[in-house]
Amino acid sequence: MSETTTTVPFFSGAASVRRDWPRLEARIREVAASGRFTSGPVTAELETAIAERTGARHAVAVANGTDALVILLRAAGIGPGDEVIVPAYTFFATASCVLHVGAQPVLVDVLPGSYAMDPERAEAAITPRTKAIMPVHLFSQMADMEVLRDLADRHGLMLLEDSAEGIDMRAGGVHAGLWGSGGVLSFFPTKTLGSLGDAGMLLTDDDRIAARARRLRQHGQDTEGEYVHEEIGWNSRCDELQSAFLLHRLERLTEETERRAELAARYDRLLAPLAGKVTTPWIAPAKTPGNQVYYVYLVECDRRDELAAHLEAHGVGTEIYYPRPLTEQPLLAPLPGSRHPVPVAAAASRRALALPLYPDLTDAQADHVAGLIHAFYGAAS
Ligand SMILES: *Cc1c(COP(=O)(O)O)cnc(C)c1O
């Protein structure tokens, strides 16, 4: 068979770029010819487009999703003396952003299946210093935001969201990141809406958070071009080229999300006979109208590391999200916020494996991956 059916990278966007190159090239030429390369009209256009798509009152473009989190927390007034409850099963940035603004992350366990913050564990971790809870929406679905918002309301806590993976995920008609005071988007290339490098966005309906975030992304400068700095901020810009690329990708997002869902259903079907050895993603039944988006297709499996090595040896890339709970990160482990037991996160970190899933993946490639997984367990039993 052709090379494409035997080598399957964990992620590639090359075929999409190739297919769309004439239109992309035109956009890139326009930016180059404009002479305005950063913080210009194309980035403003992207902010408007994302605000319209998500329903956010404000979308503030920054350099990456991590900066968006740090700026969101600072703009929301989180700082020294505050505790922020976050799940222990997530990317490091969910907790490091809390430390960046001088506050303490408190790590709690997640629910099996959704991998989202366990509301009961979060409630048990509340102290007089707790200022906010920040659930994360991972892989393919949102956390149960009705329950988490109720929890925040009952305890007078701010609700923030690490919705970096959440583009186009909605629950009850409300987009990820907009259930509380604000959220973020990451446009890292592998994300559902990926740039050609790095970019990110802060989403909020709160006018004051948005205004402060706009200052903080440019060194706390109060009025654009005035060189008056009211506080220490960051230099966190989303440049015009990334914005142009993202505006183009946005036009493809609906069809690409459908393709992701198609591939996920294909894996579900192909891997079903391996139930007991490979657990395919569990999707929470929707309580209210919403939508899930397969950013990542994550299975849990027996002998995970051996399976990953087997796939690697056959040219198939995989990724382990996440190899350890945050409570076992060297930086975080000694902190008081790492004292809560996280058995669900620990078990998932030993069994979770993300399979290749992206719009450019062909049916034949998905079949090939599933076939290799069957061969692995077949040979073993
Ligand atoms: C990708 C991601 C981030 C960080 O975004 P970057 O753009 O890579 O900085 C933060 N949190 C979660 C859950 C993510 O998946």
Side-chain angles (χ1 to χ4, degrees), residues 6-336:
T6 54
T7 302
V8 187
F10 177 66
F11 172 81
S12 174
S16 295
V17 170
R18 239 181 351 257
R19 179 198 58 203
D20 291 343
W21 184 245
R23 297 219 2 247
L24 271 170
E25 190 185 25
R27 283 241 185 207
I28 288 167
R29 269 181 205 282
E30 265 170 46
V31 170
S34 77
R36 179 100 197 233
F37 304 139
T38 196
S39 304
V42 187
T43 302
E45 195 186 329
L46 177 68
E47 288 181 332
T48 304
I50 294 286
E52 275 170 12
R53 188 163 184 119
T54 58
R57 210 169 135 79
H58 304 281
V60 182
V62 293
N64 54 65
T66 304
D67 280 8
L69 282 170
V70 176
I71 291 172
L72 171 66
L73 265 62
R74 174 70 68 76
I78 309 285
D82 296 334
E83 291 176 359
V84 179
I85 298 174
V86 301
Y89 198 64
T90 175
F91 182 53
F92 182 65
T94 310
S96 68
C97 67
V98 179
L99 292 165
H100 264 298
V101 301
Q104 286 295 315
V106 174
L107 305 164
V108 298
D109 209 1
V110 294
L111 295 166
S114 71
Y115 307 103
M117 175 187 281
D118 181 332
E120 285 178 23
R121 300 275 72 78
E123 184 154 27
I126 293 172
T127 75
R129 289 180 300 281
T130 308
K131 181 86 173 269
I133 60 170
M134 185 162 71
V136 185
H137 313 299
L138 284 182
F139 311 135
S140 55
Q141 64 192 318
M142 286 177 64
D144 188 337
M145 294 310 291
E146 280 176 56
V147 171
L148 290 164
R149 187 160 72 183
D150 176 63
L151 172 69
D153 288 349
R154 277 189 288 113
H155 292 271
L157 304 176
M158 188 177 275
L159 174 62
L160 301 167
E161 292 163 76
D162 180 348
S163 47
E165 304 182 0
I167 185 84
D168 268 11
M169 290 185 194
R170 289 177 188 79
V174 178
H175 195 278
L178 297 171
W179 275 78
S181 297
V184 303
L185 294 173
S186 164
F187 304 127
F188 183 70
T190 66
K191 297 274 155 83
T192 308
L193 180 63
S195 65
L196 267 180
D198 278 299
M201 189 91 56
L202 189 152
L203 303 177
T204 183
D205 290 334
D206 185 310
D207 296 346
R208 285 174 50 203
I209 290 178
R212 192 166 176 203
R214 289 184 189 283
R215 283 201 304 274
L216 288 169
R217 71 174 169 181
Q218 47 171 357
H219 292 289
Q221 184 171 291
D222 206 20
T223 318
E224 211 169 331
E226 288 290 325
Y227 296 103
V228 175
H229 302 270
E230 307 233 325
E231 62 179 324
I232 301 171
W234 289 267
N235 171 19
S236 186
R237 290 189 274 251
C238 174
D239 67 63
E240 296 278 281
L241 275 181
Q242 295 306 337
S243 300
F245 185 77
L246 285 163
L247 278 164
H248 167 76
R249 291 287 326 280
L250 207 48
E251 293 170 21
R252 293 269 187 197
L253 186 57
T254 301
E255 73 188 71
E256 290 194 348
T257 299
E258 281 164 14
R259 176 63 184 151
R260 286 171 179 275
E262 234 173 64
L263 286 163
R266 195 174 187 93
Y267 275 138
D268 282 350
R269 200 170 60 243
L270 293 168
L271 298 176
L274 294 173
K277 298 194 174 84
V278 177
T279 309
T280 55
W282 174 86
I283 301 296
K287 290 196 277 189
T288 49
N291 45 301
Q292 54 177 115
V293 174
Y294 276 97
Y295 159 53
V296 163
Y297 188 87
L298 190 92
V299 299
E300 286 199 35
C301 48
D302 294 347
R303 298 162 58 220
R304 190 263 320 272
D305 295 341
E306 281 173 68
L307 173 62
H310 167 81
L311 292 171
E312 175 78 41
H314 289 82
V316 172
T318 57
E319 194 68 46
I320 295 174
Y321 298 125
Y322 295 91
R324 56 174 86 182
L326 290 185
T327 47
E328 291 173 23
Q329 283 292 343
L331 177 81
L332 302 171
L335 301 181

Side-chain angles (χ1 to χ4, degrees), residues 343-366:
V344 177
S349 69
R350 287 190 295 269
R351 288 176 53 84
L353 188 68
L355 303 181
L357 181 122
Y358 41 93
D360 287 1
L361 193 79
T362 64
D363 287 350
Q365 285 177 311

